[in-house]
Amino acid sequence: MLGITDTNINIQDVREDFHGKGAGRKKYLVIRAELTYTLTHCPQCGFPDLHKNGHKLTHIHVEGPSDQPVVLELNKQRWRCLNCHTTCTATTPVVKANHSIGNKLAIDALKLASKSLTVKTIALLLGISTNSVQRALDDNIHPHASRKLPENLCFDEFRSTKSAMSFICIDADTVSTQPNDVQ
């Protein structure tokens, strides 16, 4: 149903629940699952003796089959190394390590951003926060500075946020903009 092909994820329960406060309160489809597999060697030191060390509950926003936002409550297996005393957590290709937005949802945010939609609109369409959308864009879009100035350059100064002065540069030939803040 979700397009998750990881065989190490075992779905235990599906329910509908409300998340958020006030006007931001939404109805979510919540899927409770467990992620576990056999780990034979420590990823840090390579020692072959690991012991199970409980689980870590994570809430991952994933792409669902309907317009309703979907949260995957994933209980990830943890292990502890007897040699170096570090712990490690099970991983899955559904989401990057230490992230709460599924990979497919991050790709959807990029696709919607390419259509010149605002971050707020993308967040409303995908059922995630504006900060999550901005982080997905920042992680995947790396703008690079121009190596040379255009032959014909136009610029304009204006008062921007918090009474700060800013200016915008425009290549007069191609009409591409490069906004810059001035302190």
Side-chain angles (χ1 to χ4, degrees):
M1 176 172 86
L2 299 175
I4 296 174
T5 58
D6 191 347
T7 57
N8 297 317
I9 296 177
N10 302 314
I11 296 176
Q12 299 169 340
D13 183 35
V14 178
R15 69 182 189 281
E16 288 186 343
D17 201 0
F18 286 93
H19 288 199
K21 297 178 182 175
R25 191 167 173 81
K26 292 181 187 172
K27 189 176 188 180
Y28 285 83
L29 180 65
V30 180
I31 300 171
R32 197 177 84 220
E34 182 180 28
L35 172 64
T36 186
Y37 49 85
T38 303
L39 192 62
T40 58
H41 289 78
C42 175
Q44 295 291 327
C45 67
F47 194 70
D49 197 12
L50 290 173
H51 286 280
K52 289 185 176 181
N53 190 30
H55 290 82
K56 180 181 181 181
L57 182 64
T58 58
H59 295 85
I60 303 167
H61 292 265
V62 294
E63 183 181 39
S66 66
D67 292 337
Q68 187 178 19
V70 178
V71 173
L72 180 63
E73 279 186 356
L74 194 58
N75 213 9
K76 296 180 178 181
Q77 178 70 55
R78 293 178 52 86
W79 294 274
R80 186 167 191 270
C81 177
L82 296 179
N83 183 45
C84 66
H85 305 291
T86 59
T87 60
C88 58
T89 307
T91 59
T92 177
V94 172
V95 66
K96 291 180 184 176
N98 301 319
H99 281 68
S100 63
I101 305 297
N103 294 333
K104 286 184 179 180
L105 207 56
I107 290 169
D108 287 347
L110 289 171
K111 287 178 183 176
L112 291 172
S114 71
K115 301 206 182 307
S116 299
L117 295 175
T118 65
V119 171
K120 188 174 182 178
T121 303
I122 295 170
L124 286 171
L125 290 172
L126 298 179
I128 57 178
S129 70
T130 55
N131 289 336
S132 296
V133 172
Q134 190 62 53
R135 272 193 300 274
L137 297 177
D138 291 343
D139 287 347
N140 293 293
I141 298 174
H142 307 289
H144 58 281
S146 178
R147 300 278 183 218
K148 62 182 181 104
L149 290 174
E151 187 174 324
N152 298 308
L153 180 66
C154 301
F155 63 94
D156 189 17
E157 298 170 344
F158 60 95
R159 187 175 304 275
S160 60
T161 59
K162 297 181 183 176
S163 299
M165 291 301 291
S166 298
F167 72 94
I168 188 167
C169 298
I170 301 173
D171 182 348
D173 298 325
T174 63
V175 194
S176 64
T177 61
Q178 296 292 324
N180 295 301
D181 288 332
V182 178
Q183 298 296 332

